[in-house]
């Protein structure tokens, strides 16, 4: 286990107060900012003046004070020098990779990543001359074997969507760095629980849409990395975030600022509930996948990666073998038991359930799904924390029994 405590790291950041002594920061909606002297504008364009160099903002696609306040939280949370927030998790992923890779370059990626990421790497990037080889995230040797002279990035998710396979980030980091390759890690499934930068990741991307926000009411993303990389992303002439323009709205950034301080508390509860439910399902004989169970093939690896006191995360998978059985169970759990909601996404305070193969991983072909061990009946559950745990355990037990899963 790691010693890093994200809760303490968040406490360290300079608190922003609002106008009139507000305990919350004020929202700066302005798209543009005036300067006193006309000479200042060219200086900002030349990088001589800026919010960190003399207190001048320019334009909100570039820097915005509310976004800067949010970015400080993200950098603290992921223990990186700097961070940049974007309008979605996908734009955080695409801008990071496009900043590093140009035509002719190559990426080695885990084959069990979010379906949208799989489509980006496997279909969109090749059309732009950036090729990708997908490998089993649990097999570091397979990453090594796939490296070519053109490889610029090793890409993985700490906890893979939706199979919950764990990436050995310290070993992947050693491999990447020995070959001059950048390790990019998506930490969306396990913020707080794991801190990939401590384990050796160079760039950590997050969909803030999920656990980090926790309210399922907005879409946002973040890139957490060294300051020089973040500065490059915002470079006026070359920055992929600056020029592709996935700017986060200050109102959305403000909403996120209100929710990050209680993220560690929420993650602890997501994890505790998920572990109890996983244990109950296992006792009943169901085919449950959860990294906190000693039956998970990478339980020991996950134990070595996690920060103390935040458990193993809120994501759990239940293999119902067929899509029909998974759908039958979801229907009972939502419509009879009131256990959770049939919906994609994750990290909400209510439990969300979806059958991944035919929804959020449907971009991955059925042949590839079977190769990566993604069963058509894999039910992915993002465990919420409303209601009493005892009643949730009773609901899921009745549910799995009533559809004959156990
Ligand atoms: N990364 C992971 C692991 C995801 O599950 C998702 C979305 O489900 C994304 C990235 C994309 O995030 P967003 O929907 O915010 O673009």
């Amino acid at each position: 286990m790691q010693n890093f405590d994200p809760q303490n790291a968040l406490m360290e950041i300079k608190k922003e107060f609002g106008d009139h002594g507000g305990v919350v920061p004020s929202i700066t909606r302005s798209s543009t900012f005036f300067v006193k002297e006309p000479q200042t504008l060219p200086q900002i364009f030349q990088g001589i003046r800026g919010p960190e160099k003399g207190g001048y903002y320019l334009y909100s696609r570039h820097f915005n004070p509310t976004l800067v306040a949010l970015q400080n939280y993200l950098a603290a949370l992921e223990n990186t020098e700097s961070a940049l927030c974007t309008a979605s998790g996908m734009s955080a992923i695409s801008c990071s990779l496009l900043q590093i890779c140009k035509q002719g370059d190559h990426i080695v990626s885990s084959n069990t990543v979010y379906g949208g990421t799989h489509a980006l790497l496997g279909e969109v990037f090749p059309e732009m001359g950036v090729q990708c080889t997908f490998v089993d995230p649990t097999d570091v040797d397979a990453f090594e074997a796939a490296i070519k002279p053109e490889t610029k990035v090793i890409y993985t998710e700490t906890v893979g969507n939706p199979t919950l396979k764990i990436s050995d980030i310290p070993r992947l980091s050693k491999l990447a760095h020995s070959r001059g390759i950048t390790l990019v890690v998506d930490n969306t499934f396990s913020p707080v629980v794991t801190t990939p930068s401590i384990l050796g990741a160079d760039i950590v991307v997050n969909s803030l849409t999920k656990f980090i926000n926790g309210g399922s009411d907005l879409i946002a993303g973040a890139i957490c990395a060294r300051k020089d990389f973040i500065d490059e992303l915002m470079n006026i002439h070359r920055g992929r975030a600056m020029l592709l323009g996935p700017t986060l709205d200050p109102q959305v950034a403000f909403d996120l600022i209100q929710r990050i301080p209680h993220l560690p508390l929420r993650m602890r509860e997501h994890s505790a509930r998920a572990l109890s439910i996983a244990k109950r399902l296992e006792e009943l004989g169901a085919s449950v996948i959860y990294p906190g169970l000693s039956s998970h093939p990478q339980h020991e690896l996950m134990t070595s990666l996690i920060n103390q006191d935040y458990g193993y995360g809120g994501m759990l998978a239940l293999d119902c073998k067929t899509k029909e059985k998974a759908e039958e169970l979801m229907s009972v759990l939502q419509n009879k038991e009131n256990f959770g909601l049939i919906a994609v996404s994750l990290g909400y305070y209510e439990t969300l359930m979806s059958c991944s193969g035919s929804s959020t991983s449907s971009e991955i072909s059925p042949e590839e799904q079977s190769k990566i061990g993604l069963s058509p009946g894999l039910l992915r559950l993002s465990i919420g924390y409303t209601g009493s745990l005892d009643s949730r355990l009773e609901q899921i037990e009745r549910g799995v029994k009533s559809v004959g899963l156990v």
Side-chain angles (χ1 to χ4, degrees):
M1 279 196 199
Q2 305 292 319
N3 283 329
F4 179 66
D5 188 345
Q7 194 153 17
N8 287 342
L10 289 171
M11 228 169 60
E12 296 292 312
I13 67 172
K14 188 177 138 270
K15 179 123 177 64
E16 297 274 339
F17 292 104
D19 296 341
H20 316 291
V23 294
V24 297
S26 302
I27 310 176
T28 301
R29 301 293 315 240
S30 201
S31 58
T32 192
F33 299 84
F34 75 93
V35 291
K36 286 201 177 121
E37 306 298 338
Q39 297 79 2
T40 307
L41 282 183
Q43 289 178 339
I44 300 176
F45 276 90
Q46 288 157 25
I48 301 167
R49 292 282 186 94
E52 293 167 339
K53 298 168 187 159
Y56 294 101
Y57 284 91
L58 173 70
Y59 183 60
S60 277
R61 175 157 49 79
H62 191 214
F63 286 114
N64 167 284
T66 310
L67 261 80
V68 169
L70 172 63
Q71 287 163 182
N72 290 339
Y73 276 98
L74 265 304
L77 179 69
E78 290 295 4
N79 193 48
T80 54
E81 259 176 29
S82 192
L84 179 75
C85 291
T86 59
S88 65
M90 281 315 297
S91 54
I93 295 166
S94 56
C95 287
S96 303
L97 296 176
L98 289 172
Q99 193 69 43
I100 303 168
C101 297
K102 58 180 187 328
Q103 201 180 19
D105 287 343
H106 175 248
I107 297 171
V108 184
S109 170
S110 155
N111 60 18
T112 167
V113 289
Y114 165 55
T117 308
H118 199 283
L120 180 77
L121 296 176
E123 289 170 44
V124 177
F125 278 10
E127 288 175 10
M128 298 158 61
V130 177
Q131 303 299 329
C132 178
T133 306
F134 290 102
V135 297
D136 178 350
T138 65
D139 185 355
V140 178
D141 295 340
F143 280 90
E144 183 162 20
I147 292 174
K148 303 179 186 188
E150 309 78 57
T151 306
K152 292 288 185 313
V153 169
I154 289 182
Y155 185 90
T156 196
E157 294 175 354
T158 321
V159 179
N161 182 359
T163 55
L164 310 184
K165 290 184 183 172
I166 309 302
S167 286
D168 190 336
I169 297 170
R171 280 188 65 204
L172 287 176
S173 164
K174 262 199 195 133
L175 170 64
H177 296 159
S178 71
R179 305 292 187 94
I181 295 169
T182 303
L183 177 61
V184 182
V185 177
D186 181 333
N187 203 37
T188 300
F189 268 32
S190 52
V192 177
V193 170
T194 55
T195 309
S197 72
I198 286 177
L199 306 168
D202 300 298
I203 297 169
V204 181
V205 287
N206 270 293
S207 166
L208 305 183
T209 313
K210 312 290 165 35
F211 288 104
I212 292 181
N213 176 56
S216 284
D217 58 351
L218 56 82
I219 304 277
I223 305 165
C224 304
R226 278 202 327 266
K227 186 174 174 322
D228 58 351
F229 184 73
I230 299 297
D231 288 351
E232 197 57 14
L233 280 163
M234 291 314 288
N235 184 290
I236 293 176
H237 304 284
R238 296 180 305 276
R240 303 312 194 251
M242 179 66 185
L243 299 175
L244 295 173
T247 312
L248 185 63
D249 187 275
Q251 176 74 55
V252 177
F254 173 83
D255 290 348
L256 277 153
I257 290 170
Q258 301 316 305
R259 289 156 189 194
I260 292 181
H262 44 78
L263 172 65
L265 281 178
R266 290 190 274 114
M267 286 315 296
R268 202 174 278 147
E269 192 60 18
H270 280 297
S271 292
R273 297 270 182 133
L275 180 62
S276 297
I277 290 169
K279 280 186 174 162
R280 175 65 63 92
L281 287 168
E282 191 167 59
E283 280 160 22
L284 291 167
S287 236
V288 58
I289 305 165
Y290 182 67
L293 291 176
S294 53
S295 58
H296 188 287
Q298 295 159 294
H299 175 66
E300 277 177 27
L301 170 63
M302 186 63 173
T303 305
S304 73
L305 304 182
I306 58 177
N307 297 317
Q308 268 173 46
D309 298 335
Y310 298 101
Y312 290 80
M315 299 304 294
L316 179 155
L318 185 57
D319 189 356
C320 305
K321 308 293 181 221
T322 64
K323 173 172 161 284
E324 291 67 31
K325 186 56 78 183
E327 286 174 351
E328 194 188 345
L329 177 60
M330 280 194 287
S331 173
V332 168
L333 288 177
Q334 175 180 273
N335 302 326
K336 261 199 184 155
E337 294 293 346
N338 208 13
F339 175 79
L341 302 168
I342 305 169
V344 296
S345 203
L346 49 126
Y348 190 32
Y349 50 77
E350 297 290 358
T351 292
L352 301 180
M353 311 175 282
S354 57
C355 182
S356 300
S358 46
S359 61
T360 52
S361 296
S362 58
E363 294 91 338
I364 305 173
S365 69
E367 299 74 46
E368 182 73 5
Q369 288 190 20
S370 116
K371 207 176 111 195
I372 68 175
L374 169 46
S375 151
L378 190 95
L379 183 60
R380 189 187 78 181
L381 294 106
S382 164
I383 301 296
Y385 47 74
T386 60
S388 77
L389 176 58
D390 283 345
S391 43
R392 295 299 182 203
L393 290 167
E394 284 165 19
Q395 287 171 332
I396 196 148
E397 180 164 342
R398 275 197 302 267
V400 290
K401 282 182 174 163
S402 78
V403 299
L405 201 65
V406 295

